[in-house]
Structures are given as C-alpha cells and as structure tokens.
Amino acid sequence: LDYMPFDPIVKRTEGTVREFSSSINGSSSAGMTLAAVSGVGGLTPSSSKSSLLEGVSSKSMNASQKSAYFIGVNAFKTTKGAPHVILKLVNACDPANAAALTRQVESDVHRLGLRGIRSLAVAKTVNGDVENWRFLGLLTFLDPPRPDTKQTIEDAKKYGVAVKMITGDHVLIARETARVLGMGDYIKTSAGLPLLDPVTKAKPPHLGRDYGDMCLAVDGFAQVFPEHKYLIVECLRELDYKV
C-alpha cells in the first residue's frame, strides 16, 4: 500500500502491507472495508469479498483517510533498520518492557557480532494501530569483504595512503572485518561525532579543529549514518587531506 525507502532522518525503511484474509475479527472483510472508507472521495469499493479496492492509491489520501483505509483493509506497517534504531521506535510504544527488550537484543547483537554476523531489526504495528510498534526479531546475514579488498588495502599503504573504515555496521562487525583485512582495530562508534544542523543541514563550524584529532587517530568508525560519513570526509578535508 505504501513504501518509504531508507530515510536519513528516521534512519530506517518502512512499508505498509495489506493482509489478505476472508474475515477481520470474525466479520466480513468486504463489510469492514465499506464501513472504513465510507465518505472517502474517489474510492470505489470492489464487489469481491477479498477486501480489494479498485483504483485506490493511498498516496492520494490525507492522513485521516489513509488511517481509516489502512484499518479497513486490515493493513499494518513494517519497518527494518539497525537494531538500536528499531529499539528506540519500539520502546517508545512499550516503555514497561523497554529495559528487558533492550538487554535481550543488545546481547544477541553482541553474540552474533563476535562471530562476524550482521544484524538488522524488524518490527510491525499491531492491534490496528499504525503507530503501535512491536519488535519481531533480528535478520542475520554475512557480508564478507571482496576477495581482492585485503590486497587493495595493502597496495594503498605501500603508496602512503592511509585507509580508514567508515561503516554503518555494528562496532563488533567492524573490528572483525578490520582484523580480517589486516587493518588497525581502533574502531570507535559514532557517539562522539557531530551531526548536520537539523534545520539548515549545514556542517558544524570548525569541524577540523574540533574533531580532526579524533578522525586522524582512529582506524575507523562504526554504527554511522550517511551524514556522519560526509562530515568525517569534510573534517579531513578541512585539515588539507585529500580524501
């Protein structure tokens, strides 16, 4: 019904999915659909009982129409992103269980990271509320370096080029990857890095002066967002390095 690619503001992807079923809470799905979209201009309910609507695009609806439509067709939202991003979203909806869930997820991510296994978290909305998020679990996968990456890094070093890692992966994954590639393992998280101005999107003043020593000292950064990558490069450029 709707899809949001990776958004650098909320740091995750999101999709709205329609669940096909013959009934919703024991009632006819077609009847539910008719009731939910009644009065929504331009919508033509289908005569079939599969709760399909003909010629409907959720992108043309306003917020209240979209909410009614999503509930009427038994829809829910799904989202995927870094575990800490999804935890923040889910914990805001269920603060009573936030601490226990965070401990469990962080423990699993740590355990997997020690083995070089990457993790993404998945959540969905429940109970017909498109803002009520619940944690579903972790997606795990391997993403090893290309076979020629280690040799490329070695060749770069021979020519006096310093190679640093900047990745959105968990810090444990970054350190394991650095070990495999023969790089230094002084990998920091993005916790100490600046962000763009939320309104103007301008980079911070005196970027090289304030963050240059850190960017030069580390072998890389992990758990970064795209704007962090940009600011690290800009920081080194302010110090007259070619990046």
Side-chain angles (χ1 to χ4, degrees):
L1 296 175
D2 209 358
Y3 176 69
M4 176 187 72
F6 180 82
D7 186 322
I9 303 300
V10 298
K11 321 296 186 187
R12 56 186 176 85
T13 62
E14 182 181 295
T16 304
V17 182
R18 176 167 51 203
E19 185 174 23
F20 289 93
S21 63
S22 59
S23 64
I24 303 175
N25 296 329
S27 302
S28 166
S29 58
M32 290 288 288
T33 300
L34 287 169
V37 303
S38 176
V40 178
L43 304 187
T44 305
S46 168
S47 59
S48 76
K49 294 184 178 181
S50 61
S51 78
L52 294 175
L53 294 179
E54 299 174 351
V56 174
S57 172
S58 62
K59 295 180 180 179
S60 65
M61 305 178 196
N62 61 35
S64 60
Q65 291 173 338
K66 184 180 290 188
S67 178
Y69 173 61
F70 287 167
I71 295 172
V73 297
N74 199 22
F76 57 90
K77 288 184 178 181
T78 62
T79 189
K80 176 186 70 176
H84 67 281
V85 172
I86 302 303
L87 274 175
K88 182 178 180 180
L89 179 71
V90 171
N91 287 342
C93 300
D94 188 16
N97 294 311
L101 177 63
T102 299
R103 283 194 302 270
Q104 181 63 59
V105 172
E106 289 181 346
S107 174
D108 289 342
V109 170
H110 185 273
R111 175 175 53 83
L112 293 164
L114 291 175
R115 298 162 55 194
I117 300 175
R118 296 176 63 185
S119 302
L120 288 175
V122 181
K124 66 170 287 190
T125 58
V126 295
N127 301 328
D129 183 351
V130 293
E131 299 302 331
N132 186 14
W133 292 97
R134 288 293 179 268
F135 195 88
L136 292 182
L138 297 173
L139 295 174
T140 61
F141 56 100
L142 293 172
D143 186 19
R146 290 171 39 144
D148 60 346
T149 301
K150 185 174 183 179
Q151 185 61 54
T152 301
I153 293 173
E154 291 176 356
D155 292 343
K157 290 179 178 178
K158 289 178 183 178
Y159 288 100
V161 178
V163 180
K164 296 181 182 290
M165 178 184 298
I166 307 176
T167 176
D169 288 342
H170 192 278
V171 66
L172 293 175
I173 299 293
R175 287 171 181 162
E176 173 62 14
T177 302
R179 183 193 67 78
V180 170
L181 296 175
M183 302 173 63
D185 61 358
Y186 182 30
I187 311 291
K188 292 176 64 69
T189 68
S190 61
L193 291 172
L195 293 171
L196 296 172
D197 185 281
V199 177
T200 67
K201 303 302 179 184
K203 65 181 181 180
H206 311 300
L207 193 60
R209 183 196 70 185
D210 296 340
Y211 299 94
D213 288 345
M214 177 176 63
C215 289
L216 289 172
V218 301
D219 296 309
F221 291 97
Q223 296 171 225
V224 304
F225 296 129
E227 62 189 280
H228 289 131
K229 297 179 181 181
Y230 164 73
L231 290 173
I232 292 168
V233 170
E234 286 298 296
C235 176
L236 294 172
R237 283 176 172 167
E238 287 188 8
L239 298 175
D240 294 327
Y241 285 92
K242 295 186 182 300
V243 183

PDB file of all heavy atoms in Angstrom, residues 167-205:
ATOM      1  N   THR A 167      31.673   2.676   8.476  1.00  0.00           N
ATOM      2  CA  THR A 167      30.604   1.724   8.184  1.00  0.00           C
ATOM      3  C   THR A 167      29.410   1.928   9.105  1.00  0.00           C
ATOM      4  O   THR A 167      29.551   2.392  10.243  1.00  0.00           O
ATOM      5  CB  THR A 167      31.134   0.277   8.332  1.00  0.00           C
ATOM      6  OG1 THR A 167      30.056  -0.648   8.125  1.00  0.00           O
ATOM      7  CG2 THR A 167      31.708   0.035   9.719  1.00  0.00           C
ATOM      8  N   GLY A 168      28.270   1.562   8.605  1.00  0.00           N
ATOM      9  CA  GLY A 168      27.066   1.581   9.425  1.00  0.00           C
ATOM     10  C   GLY A 168      26.903   0.329  10.260  1.00  0.00           C
ATOM     11  O   GLY A 168      26.004   0.238  11.092  1.00  0.00           O
ATOM     12  N   ASP A 169      27.777  -0.651  10.049  1.00  0.00           N
ATOM     13  CA  ASP A 169      27.696  -1.909  10.786  1.00  0.00           C
ATOM     14  C   ASP A 169      28.000  -1.707  12.272  1.00  0.00           C
ATOM     15  O   ASP A 169      28.609  -0.716  12.675  1.00  0.00           O
ATOM     16  CB  ASP A 169      28.681  -2.931  10.224  1.00  0.00           C
ATOM     17  CG  ASP A 169      28.246  -3.472   8.875  1.00  0.00           C
ATOM     18  OD1 ASP A 169      27.055  -3.324   8.536  1.00  0.00           O
ATOM     19  OD2 ASP A 169      29.100  -4.026   8.163  1.00  0.00           O
ATOM     20  N   HIS A 170      27.599  -2.693  13.057  1.00  0.00           N
ATOM     21  CA  HIS A 170      27.917  -2.706  14.486  1.00  0.00           C
ATOM     22  C   HIS A 170      29.423  -2.682  14.669  1.00  0.00           C
ATOM     23  O   HIS A 170      30.183  -3.196  13.848  1.00  0.00           O
ATOM     24  CB  HIS A 170      27.308  -3.954  15.133  1.00  0.00           C
ATOM     25  CG  HIS A 170      27.323  -3.928  16.628  1.00  0.00           C
ATOM     26  ND1 HIS A 170      28.424  -4.276  17.370  1.00  0.00           N
ATOM     27  CD2 HIS A 170      26.356  -3.599  17.532  1.00  0.00           C
ATOM     28  CE1 HIS A 170      28.147  -4.179  18.655  1.00  0.00           C
ATOM     29  NE2 HIS A 170      26.898  -3.757  18.780  1.00  0.00           N
ATOM     30  N   VAL A 171      29.855  -2.079  15.773  1.00  0.00           N
ATOM     31  CA  VAL A 171      31.292  -1.930  16.015  1.00  0.00           C
ATOM     32  C   VAL A 171      32.011  -3.285  16.077  1.00  0.00           C
ATOM     33  O   VAL A 171      33.172  -3.401  15.665  1.00  0.00           O
ATOM     34  CB  VAL A 171      31.530  -1.100  17.302  1.00  0.00           C
ATOM     35  CG1 VAL A 171      31.036  -1.852  18.537  1.00  0.00           C
ATOM     36  CG2 VAL A 171      33.003  -0.732  17.436  1.00  0.00           C
ATOM     37  N   LEU A 172      31.348  -4.318  16.569  1.00  0.00           N
ATOM     38  CA  LEU A 172      31.986  -5.634  16.618  1.00  0.00           C
ATOM     39  C   LEU A 172      32.225  -6.196  15.220  1.00  0.00           C
ATOM     40  O   LEU A 172      33.251  -6.819  14.953  1.00  0.00           O
ATOM     41  CB  LEU A 172      31.134  -6.609  17.440  1.00  0.00           C
ATOM     42  CG  LEU A 172      31.010  -6.310  18.927  1.00  0.00           C
ATOM     43  CD1 LEU A 172      30.048  -7.290  19.586  1.00  0.00           C
ATOM     44  CD2 LEU A 172      32.374  -6.372  19.601  1.00  0.00           C
ATOM     45  N   ILE A 173      31.274  -5.969  14.325  1.00  0.00           N
ATOM     46  CA  ILE A 173      31.436  -6.391  12.936  1.00  0.00           C
ATOM     47  C   ILE A 173      32.595  -5.630  12.305  1.00  0.00           C
ATOM     48  O   ILE A 173      33.428  -6.192  11.583  1.00  0.00           O
ATOM     49  CB  ILE A 173      30.143  -6.152  12.135  1.00  0.00           C
ATOM     50  CG1 ILE A 173      28.991  -6.968  12.718  1.00  0.00           C
ATOM     51  CG2 ILE A 173      30.349  -6.485  10.662  1.00  0.00           C
ATOM     52  CD1 ILE A 173      29.148  -8.450  12.567  1.00  0.00           C
ATOM     53  N   ALA A 174      32.656  -4.336  12.582  1.00  0.00           N
ATOM     54  CA  ALA A 174      33.723  -3.507  12.017  1.00  0.00           C
ATOM     55  C   ALA A 174      35.095  -3.984  12.491  1.00  0.00           C
ATOM     56  O   ALA A 174      36.040  -4.074  11.692  1.00  0.00           O
ATOM     57  CB  ALA A 174      33.498  -2.046  12.405  1.00  0.00           C
ATOM     58  N   ARG A 175      35.220  -4.300  13.756  1.00  0.00           N
ATOM     59  CA  ARG A 175      36.509  -4.750  14.285  1.00  0.00           C
ATOM     60  C   ARG A 175      36.907  -6.108  13.716  1.00  0.00           C
ATOM     61  O   ARG A 175      38.079  -6.350  13.414  1.00  0.00           O
ATOM     62  CB  ARG A 175      36.457  -4.793  15.807  1.00  0.00           C
ATOM     63  CG  ARG A 175      36.461  -3.408  16.441  1.00  0.00           C
ATOM     64  CD  ARG A 175      36.189  -3.447  17.925  1.00  0.00           C
ATOM     65  NE  ARG A 175      36.172  -2.097  18.487  1.00  0.00           N
ATOM     66  CZ  ARG A 175      35.635  -1.782  19.651  1.00  0.00           C
ATOM     67  NH1 ARG A 175      35.052  -2.717  20.395  1.00  0.00           N
ATOM     68  NH2 ARG A 175      35.657  -0.531  20.076  1.00  0.00           N
ATOM     69  N   GLU A 176      35.927  -7.000  13.556  1.00  0.00           N
ATOM     70  CA  GLU A 176      36.229  -8.302  12.973  1.00  0.00           C
ATOM     71  C   GLU A 176      36.646  -8.150  11.509  1.00  0.00           C
ATOM     72  O   GLU A 176      37.583  -8.804  11.042  1.00  0.00           O
ATOM     73  CB  GLU A 176      35.009  -9.214  13.085  1.00  0.00           C
ATOM     74  CG  GLU A 176      35.123 -10.552  12.371  1.00  0.00           C
ATOM     75  CD  GLU A 176      36.235 -11.428  12.899  1.00  0.00           C
ATOM     76  OE1 GLU A 176      36.769 -11.148  13.993  1.00  0.00           O
ATOM     77  OE2 GLU A 176      36.589 -12.403  12.212  1.00  0.00           O
ATOM     78  N   THR A 177      35.957  -7.278  10.780  1.00  0.00           N
ATOM     79  CA  THR A 177      36.309  -7.030   9.383  1.00  0.00           C
ATOM     80  C   THR A 177      37.703  -6.418   9.285  1.00  0.00           C
ATOM     81  O   THR A 177      38.506  -6.799   8.415  1.00  0.00           O
ATOM     82  CB  THR A 177      35.286  -6.090   8.725  1.00  0.00           C
ATOM     83  OG1 THR A 177      33.986  -6.679   8.811  1.00  0.00           O
ATOM     84  CG2 THR A 177      35.626  -5.840   7.256  1.00  0.00           C
ATOM     85  N   ALA A 178      38.019  -5.484  10.182  1.00  0.00           N
ATOM     86  CA  ALA A 178      39.348  -4.874  10.198  1.00  0.00           C
ATOM     87  C   ALA A 178      40.423  -5.926  10.468  1.00  0.00           C
ATOM     88  O   ALA A 178      41.499  -5.896   9.864  1.00  0.00           O
ATOM     89  CB  ALA A 178      39.400  -3.770  11.250  1.00  0.00           C
ATOM     90  N   ARG A 179      40.124  -6.861  11.357  1.00  0.00           N
ATOM     91  CA  ARG A 179      41.093  -7.929  11.650  1.00  0.00           C
ATOM     92  C   ARG A 179      41.341  -8.786  10.415  1.00  0.00           C
ATOM     93  O   ARG A 179      42.494  -9.090  10.072  1.00  0.00           O
ATOM     94  CB  ARG A 179      40.562  -8.798  12.793  1.00  0.00           C
ATOM     95  CG  ARG A 179      41.525  -9.912  13.228  1.00  0.00           C
ATOM     96  CD  ARG A 179      40.836 -10.917  14.136  1.00  0.00           C
ATOM     97  NE  ARG A 179      39.806 -11.670  13.433  1.00  0.00           N
ATOM     98  CZ  ARG A 179      40.072 -12.687  12.619  1.00  0.00           C
ATOM     99  NH1 ARG A 179      41.327 -13.079  12.394  1.00  0.00           N
ATOM    100  NH2 ARG A 179      39.081 -13.327  12.022  1.00  0.00           N
ATOM    101  N   VAL A 180      40.264  -9.159   9.717  1.00  0.00           N
ATOM    102  CA  VAL A 180      40.390  -9.993   8.524  1.00  0.00           C
ATOM    103  C   VAL A 180      41.199  -9.281   7.439  1.00  0.00           C
ATOM    104  O   VAL A 180      41.977  -9.910   6.708  1.00  0.00           O
ATOM    105  CB  VAL A 180      38.987 -10.366   7.985  1.00  0.00           C
ATOM    106  CG1 VAL A 180      39.081 -11.031   6.616  1.00  0.00           C
ATOM    107  CG2 VAL A 180      38.275 -11.287   8.974  1.00  0.00           C
ATOM    108  N   LEU A 181      41.040  -7.965   7.340  1.00  0.00           N
ATOM    109  CA  LEU A 181      41.696  -7.198   6.286  1.00  0.00           C
ATOM    110  C   LEU A 181      43.082  -6.681   6.671  1.00  0.00           C
ATOM    111  O   LEU A 181      43.733  -6.001   5.871  1.00  0.00           O
ATOM    112  CB  LEU A 181      40.812  -6.014   5.888  1.00  0.00           C
ATOM    113  CG  LEU A 181      39.457  -6.362   5.273  1.00  0.00           C
ATOM    114  CD1 LEU A 181      38.635  -5.098   5.031  1.00  0.00           C
ATOM    115  CD2 LEU A 181      39.645  -7.138   3.985  1.00  0.00           C
ATOM    116  N   GLY A 182      43.517  -6.984   7.896  1.00  0.00           N
ATOM    117  CA  GLY A 182      44.836  -6.532   8.328  1.00  0.00           C
ATOM    118  C   GLY A 182      44.904  -5.047   8.614  1.00  0.00           C
ATOM    119  O   GLY A 182      45.969  -4.428   8.497  1.00  0.00           O
ATOM    120  N   MET A 183      43.774  -4.457   8.991  1.00  0.00           N
ATOM    121  CA  MET A 183      43.734  -3.039   9.342  1.00  0.00           C
ATOM    122  C   MET A 183      43.851  -2.886  10.852  1.00  0.00           C
ATOM    123  O   MET A 183      43.767  -3.859  11.607  1.00  0.00           O
ATOM    124  CB  MET A 183      42.425  -2.411   8.849  1.00  0.00           C
ATOM    125  CG  MET A 183      42.188  -2.522   7.362  1.00  0.00           C
ATOM    126  SD  MET A 183      40.544  -1.936   6.869  1.00  0.00           S
ATOM    127  CE  MET A 183      40.637  -0.198   7.343  1.00  0.00           C
ATOM    128  N   GLY A 184      44.023  -1.653  11.314  1.00  0.00           N
ATOM    129  CA  GLY A 184      44.019  -1.412  12.744  1.00  0.00           C
ATOM    130  C   GLY A 184      42.630  -1.623  13.315  1.00  0.00           C
ATOM    131  O   GLY A 184      41.618  -1.479  12.615  1.00  0.00           O
ATOM    132  N   ASP A 185      42.570  -1.970  14.587  1.00  0.00           N
ATOM    133  CA  ASP A 185      41.273  -2.289  15.194  1.00  0.00           C
ATOM    134  C   ASP A 185      40.789  -1.213  16.166  1.00  0.00           C
ATOM    135  O   ASP A 185      39.899  -1.459  16.983  1.00  0.00           O
ATOM    136  CB  ASP A 185      41.328  -3.636  15.906  1.00  0.00           C
ATOM    137  CG  ASP A 185      42.347  -3.674  17.035  1.00  0.00           C
ATOM    138  OD1 ASP A 185      43.046  -2.652  17.244  1.00  0.00           O
ATOM    139  OD2 ASP A 185      42.453  -4.712  17.707  1.00  0.00           O
ATOM    140  N   TYR A 186      41.379   0.003  16.063  1.00  0.00           N
ATOM    141  CA  TYR A 186      40.889   1.102  16.902  1.00  0.00           C
ATOM    142  C   TYR A 186      39.678   1.712  16.204  1.00  0.00           C
ATOM    143  O   TYR A 186      39.769   2.711  15.500  1.00  0.00           O
ATOM    144  CB  TYR A 186      41.983   2.133  17.126  1.00  0.00           C
ATOM    145  CG  TYR A 186      41.576   3.289  18.022  1.00  0.00           C
ATOM    146  CD1 TYR A 186      40.628   3.122  19.038  1.00  0.00           C
ATOM    147  CD2 TYR A 186      42.159   4.543  17.866  1.00  0.00           C
ATOM    148  CE1 TYR A 186      40.261   4.162  19.859  1.00  0.00           C
ATOM    149  CE2 TYR A 186      41.794   5.608  18.680  1.00  0.00           C
ATOM    150  CZ  TYR A 186      40.845   5.410  19.672  1.00  0.00           C
ATOM    151  OH  TYR A 186      40.478   6.460  20.492  1.00  0.00           O
ATOM    152  N   ILE A 187      38.534   1.064  16.399  1.00  0.00           N
ATOM    153  CA  ILE A 187      37.288   1.459  15.749  1.00  0.00           C
ATOM    154  C   ILE A 187      36.355   2.051  16.802  1.00  0.00           C
ATOM    155  O   ILE A 187      36.021   1.399  17.792  1.00  0.00           O
ATOM    156  CB  ILE A 187      36.587   0.265  15.064  1.00  0.00           C
ATOM    157  CG1 ILE A 187      37.573  -0.515  14.188  1.00  0.00           C
ATOM    158  CG2 ILE A 187      35.379   0.747  14.272  1.00  0.00           C
ATOM    159  CD1 ILE A 187      38.034   0.211  12.963  1.00  0.00           C
ATOM    160  N   LYS A 188      35.922   3.282  16.585  1.00  0.00           N
ATOM    161  CA  LYS A 188      35.000   3.931  17.503  1.00  0.00           C
ATOM    162  C   LYS A 188      33.589   3.934  16.918  1.00  0.00           C
ATOM    163  O   LYS A 188      33.407   3.829  15.707  1.00  0.00           O
ATOM    164  CB  LYS A 188      35.440   5.389  17.768  1.00  0.00           C
ATOM    165  CG  LYS A 188      36.728   5.521  18.547  1.00  0.00           C
ATOM    166  CD  LYS A 188      37.125   6.983  18.678  1.00  0.00           C
ATOM    167  CE  LYS A 188      36.141   7.805  19.487  1.00  0.00           C
ATOM    168  NZ  LYS A 188      36.144   7.442  20.915  1.00  0.00           N
ATOM    169  N   THR A 189      32.609   4.070  17.783  1.00  0.00           N
ATOM    170  CA  THR A 189      31.242   4.241  17.310  1.00  0.00           C
ATOM    171  C   THR A 189      31.025   5.707  16.934  1.00  0.00           C
ATOM    172  O   THR A 189      31.911   6.549  17.120  1.00  0.00           O
ATOM    173  CB  THR A 189      30.212   3.841  18.383  1.00  0.00           C
ATOM    174  OG1 THR A 189      30.273   4.791  19.458  1.00  0.00           O
ATOM    175  CG2 THR A 189      30.499   2.441  18.916  1.00  0.00           C
ATOM    176  N   SER A 190      29.838   6.008  16.452  1.00  0.00           N
ATOM    177  CA  SER A 190      29.528   7.383  16.031  1.00  0.00           C
ATOM    178  C   SER A 190      29.157   8.284  17.202  1.00  0.00           C
ATOM    179  O   SER A 190      28.813   9.448  16.992  1.00  0.00           O
ATOM    180  CB  SER A 190      28.374   7.362  15.024  1.00  0.00           C
ATOM    181  OG  SER A 190      27.199   6.812  15.630  1.00  0.00           O
ATOM    182  N   ALA A 191      29.239   7.755  18.433  1.00  0.00           N
ATOM    183  CA  ALA A 191      28.747   8.514  19.594  1.00  0.00           C
ATOM    184  C   ALA A 191      29.409   9.877  19.727  1.00  0.00           C
ATOM    185  O   ALA A 191      28.772  10.848  20.137  1.00  0.00           O
ATOM    186  CB  ALA A 191      28.970   7.699  20.857  1.00  0.00           C
ATOM    187  N   GLY A 192      30.682   9.992  19.390  1.00  0.00           N
ATOM    188  CA  GLY A 192      31.378  11.266  19.563  1.00  0.00           C
ATOM    189  C   GLY A 192      31.398  12.144  18.332  1.00  0.00           C
ATOM    190  O   GLY A 192      32.042  13.199  18.332  1.00  0.00           O
ATOM    191  N   LEU A 193      30.694  11.740  17.277  1.00  0.00           N
ATOM    192  CA  LEU A 193      30.706  12.502  16.024  1.00  0.00           C
ATOM    193  C   LEU A 193      29.582  13.530  15.991  1.00  0.00           C
ATOM    194  O   LEU A 193      28.514  13.313  16.565  1.00  0.00           O
ATOM    195  CB  LEU A 193      30.559  11.551  14.834  1.00  0.00           C
ATOM    196  CG  LEU A 193      31.742  10.628  14.570  1.00  0.00           C
ATOM    197  CD1 LEU A 193      31.379   9.613  13.484  1.00  0.00           C
ATOM    198  CD2 LEU A 193      32.975  11.428  14.145  1.00  0.00           C
ATOM    199  N   PRO A 194      29.791  14.630  15.298  1.00  0.00           N
ATOM    200  CA  PRO A 194      28.739  15.647  15.187  1.00  0.00           C
ATOM    201  C   PRO A 194      27.704  15.249  14.143  1.00  0.00           C
ATOM    202  O   PRO A 194      27.869  14.270  13.420  1.00  0.00           O
ATOM    203  CB  PRO A 194      29.520  16.892  14.731  1.00  0.00           C
ATOM    204  CG  PRO A 194      30.633  16.323  13.895  1.00  0.00           C
ATOM    205  CD  PRO A 194      31.022  15.027  14.573  1.00  0.00           C
ATOM    206  N   LEU A 195      26.641  16.048  14.065  1.00  0.00           N
ATOM    207  CA  LEU A 195      25.599  15.866  13.067  1.00  0.00           C
ATOM    208  C   LEU A 195      25.388  17.183  12.316  1.00  0.00           C
ATOM    209  O   LEU A 195      25.825  18.243  12.765  1.00  0.00           O
ATOM    210  CB  LEU A 195      24.282  15.434  13.728  1.00  0.00           C
ATOM    211  CG  LEU A 195      24.262  14.048  14.371  1.00  0.00           C
ATOM    212  CD1 LEU A 195      22.973  13.863  15.168  1.00  0.00           C
ATOM    213  CD2 LEU A 195      24.386  12.961  13.322  1.00  0.00           C
ATOM    214  N   LEU A 196      24.726  17.096  11.189  1.00  0.00           N
ATOM    215  CA  LEU A 196      24.357  18.300  10.463  1.00  0.00           C
ATOM    216  C   LEU A 196      23.336  19.100  11.258  1.00  0.00           C
ATOM    217  O   LEU A 196      22.595  18.541  12.073  1.00  0.00           O
ATOM    218  CB  LEU A 196      23.770  17.932   9.104  1.00  0.00           C
ATOM    219  CG  LEU A 196      24.691  17.222   8.111  1.00  0.00           C
ATOM    220  CD1 LEU A 196      23.891  16.770   6.903  1.00  0.00           C
ATOM    221  CD2 LEU A 196      25.842  18.118   7.684  1.00  0.00           C
ATOM    222  N   ASP A 197      23.287  20.386  11.029  1.00  0.00           N
ATOM    223  CA  ASP A 197      22.270  21.214  11.665  1.00  0.00           C
ATOM    224  C   ASP A 197      20.890  20.701  11.242  1.00  0.00           C
ATOM    225  O   ASP A 197      20.633  20.530  10.051  1.00  0.00           O
ATOM    226  CB  ASP A 197      22.426  22.673  11.239  1.00  0.00           C
ATOM    227  CG  ASP A 197      21.475  23.598  11.974  1.00  0.00           C
ATOM    228  OD1 ASP A 197      20.278  23.635  11.586  1.00  0.00           O
ATOM    229  OD2 ASP A 197      21.903  24.274  12.906  1.00  0.00           O
ATOM    230  N   PRO A 198      19.990  20.419  12.185  1.00  0.00           N
ATOM    231  CA  PRO A 198      18.694  19.818  11.832  1.00  0.00           C
ATOM    232  C   PRO A 198      17.815  20.705  10.955  1.00  0.00           C
ATOM    233  O   PRO A 198      16.939  20.206  10.258  1.00  0.00           O
ATOM    234  CB  PRO A 198      18.038  19.569  13.197  1.00  0.00           C
ATOM    235  CG  PRO A 198      18.729  20.494  14.135  1.00  0.00           C
ATOM    236  CD  PRO A 198      20.130  20.625  13.627  1.00  0.00           C
ATOM    237  N   VAL A 199      18.049  22.003  10.966  1.00  0.00           N
ATOM    238  CA  VAL A 199      17.225  22.930  10.182  1.00  0.00           C
ATOM    239  C   VAL A 199      17.909  23.306   8.875  1.00  0.00           C
ATOM    240  O   VAL A 199      17.363  23.123   7.786  1.00  0.00           O
ATOM    241  CB  VAL A 199      16.903  24.205  10.995  1.00  0.00           C
ATOM    242  CG1 VAL A 199      16.108  25.184  10.142  1.00  0.00           C
ATOM    243  CG2 VAL A 199      16.146  23.841  12.264  1.00  0.00           C
ATOM    244  N   THR A 200      19.135  23.801   8.956  1.00  0.00           N
ATOM    245  CA  THR A 200      19.827  24.295   7.764  1.00  0.00           C
ATOM    246  C   THR A 200      20.597  23.212   7.035  1.00  0.00           C
ATOM    247  O   THR A 200      20.991  23.395   5.881  1.00  0.00           O
ATOM    248  CB  THR A 200      20.799  25.414   8.147  1.00  0.00           C
ATOM    249  OG1 THR A 200      21.862  24.868   8.962  1.00  0.00           O
ATOM    250  CG2 THR A 200      20.079  26.507   8.925  1.00  0.00           C
ATOM    251  N   LYS A 201      20.847  22.080   7.717  1.00  0.00           N
ATOM    252  CA  LYS A 201      21.651  20.983   7.167  1.00  0.00           C
ATOM    253  C   LYS A 201      23.108  21.395   6.920  1.00  0.00           C
ATOM    254  O   LYS A 201      23.827  20.728   6.162  1.00  0.00           O
ATOM    255  CB  LYS A 201      21.044  20.440   5.862  1.00  0.00           C
ATOM    256  CG  LYS A 201      19.608  19.960   6.020  1.00  0.00           C
ATOM    257  CD  LYS A 201      19.506  18.876   7.072  1.00  0.00           C
ATOM    258  CE  LYS A 201      18.070  18.406   7.258  1.00  0.00           C
ATOM    259  NZ  LYS A 201      17.944  17.409   8.358  1.00  0.00           N
ATOM    260  N   ALA A 202      23.539  22.460   7.569  1.00  0.00           N
ATOM    261  CA  ALA A 202      24.917  22.919   7.429  1.00  0.00           C
ATOM    262  C   ALA A 202      25.828  22.101   8.340  1.00  0.00           C
ATOM    263  O   ALA A 202      25.410  21.628   9.402  1.00  0.00           O
ATOM    264  CB  ALA A 202      25.018  24.394   7.771  1.00  0.00           C
ATOM    265  N   LYS A 203      27.070  21.950   7.934  1.00  0.00           N
ATOM    266  CA  LYS A 203      28.018  21.249   8.782  1.00  0.00           C
ATOM    267  C   LYS A 203      28.430  22.156   9.943  1.00  0.00           C
ATOM    268  O   LYS A 203      28.342  23.394   9.843  1.00  0.00           O
ATOM    269  CB  LYS A 203      29.240  20.825   7.973  1.00  0.00           C
ATOM    270  CG  LYS A 203      30.083  21.973   7.440  1.00  0.00           C
ATOM    271  CD  LYS A 203      31.267  21.451   6.629  1.00  0.00           C
ATOM    272  CE  LYS A 203      32.129  22.622   6.123  1.00  0.00           C
ATOM    273  NZ  LYS A 203      33.286  22.148   5.334  1.00  0.00           N
ATOM    274  N   PRO A 204      28.870  21.584  11.057  1.00  0.00           N
ATOM    275  CA  PRO A 204      29.271  22.400  12.209  1.00  0.00           C
ATOM    276  C   PRO A 204      30.470  23.280  11.864  1.00  0.00           C
ATOM    277  O   PRO A 204      31.315  22.896  11.059  1.00  0.00           O
ATOM    278  CB  PRO A 204      29.642  21.354  13.275  1.00  0.00           C
ATOM    279  CG  PRO A 204      28.991  20.099  12.834  1.00  0.00           C
ATOM    280  CD  PRO A 204      28.961  20.149  11.339  1.00  0.00           C
ATOM    281  N   PRO A 205      30.557  24.456  12.475  1.00  0.00           N
ATOM    282  CA  PRO A 205      31.749  25.293  12.265  1.00  0.00           C
ATOM    283  C   PRO A 205      32.963  24.657  12.938  1.00  0.00           C
ATOM    284  O   PRO A 205      32.836  23.907  13.906  1.00  0.00           O
ATOM    285  CB  PRO A 205      31.364  26.612  12.933  1.00  0.00           C
ATOM    286  CG  PRO A 205      30.343  26.237  13.965  1.00  0.00           C
ATOM    287  CD  PRO A 205      29.571  25.091  13.375  1.00  0.00           C
TER     288      PRO A 205
END
